Amino acid sequence: IRIAIADDHAVVREGIQRMLDGTPEVEVAFEAGTGSELLEKLGERQVDICVVDFAMPDGGIELIGKLRQARPEIRTLVFSVHPEEQYAIRCLRAGAAGYLAKNSLAEYLEHALETVASGRTYIGPAVAETLAERVGTRRRSATHERLSTREYDVFIRLAEGEGVVEIANR
């Protein structure tokens, strides 16, 4: 499984690489620090999976869509510090093949890569539980879950204390 690692923190990229060093079926083809760099390098190299940080510069839902459009054969595994329950379903709707929280154990990363490489979708236990609750109780989704991706992004930035002008400029 040839993978590309995209994260704006060099230590995280190196950590992922070290976690996978003992996995003979996984080869790290290259690393990227931004979404733009990832897209540029994908034009030069062949990979099966992109492991992408959700919160890196020019990342997020937009990057998942760009990857899907530019190289639909490449699967995307989002590896993020953001809680699975809040972001995983949005990432999957945007075209990601899986979502894994950064606080997961190394074994989960290996399992997620194997799952995604086999053509299936990977979700962690928290997302599975959330989905099971929705199906089992047929409850109405929370108001914030009905927001579009853009609306949700603005909502989160407001909650973090950013001003409307700052958000609009971004």
Side-chain angles (χ1 to χ4, degrees):
I1 306 168
R2 292 180 47 85
I3 68 167
I5 302 170
D7 194 293
D8 56 330
H9 297 97
V11 70
V12 173
R13 294 191 308 265
E14 186 175 331
I16 294 170
Q17 202 158 7
R18 286 188 183 191
M19 285 170 49
L20 297 171
D21 276 346
T23 310
E25 59 271 359
V26 177
E27 175 192 344
V28 177
F30 67 88
E31 299 176 12
T34 65
S36 301
E37 183 183 357
L38 173 64
L39 290 166
E40 182 181 315
K41 288 184 175 183
L42 281 175
E44 307 162 3
R45 300 185 182 121
Q46 187 63 35
V47 298
D48 303 304
I49 300 172
C50 289
V51 178
V52 176
D53 176 25
F54 183 82
M56 72 178 170
D58 57 343
I61 298 292
E62 292 83 18
L63 178 59
I64 296 168
K66 288 177 184 176
L67 285 169
R68 189 94 164 140
Q69 188 174 15
R71 300 287 299 276
E73 75 280 6
I74 296 176
R75 314 262 296 153
T76 303
L77 175 63
V78 176
F79 192 53
S80 180
V81 70
H82 294 297
E84 292 175 279
E85 312 83 55
Q86 294 178 10
Y87 286 92
I89 294 171
R90 292 180 184 280
C91 289
L92 295 172
R93 283 186 184 140
Y99 190 99
L100 182 66
K102 282 186 177 177
N103 63 355
S104 300
L105 300 173
E107 299 86 50
Y108 286 122
L109 177 58
E110 292 173 22
H111 178 65
L113 289 170
E114 290 169 4
T115 301
V116 169
S118 71
R120 296 175 301 170
T121 301
Y122 179 84
I123 56 171
V127 178
E129 187 175 321
T130 300
L131 291 173
E133 282 178 12
R134 285 184 187 175
V135 170
T137 61
R138 297 205 185 274
R139 71 169 175 87
R140 245 179 94 102
S141 60
T143 305
H144 73 276
E145 292 174 351
R146 292 189 299 249
L147 296 174
S148 72
T149 300
R150 180 68 66 211
E151 291 167 337
Y152 189 74
D153 187 43
V154 170
F155 171 72
I156 293 297
R157 291 177 193 283
L158 287 170
E160 290 173 346
E162 288 186 38
V164 291
V165 173
E166 200 177 358
I167 294 169
N169 288 337
R170 192 186 288 205

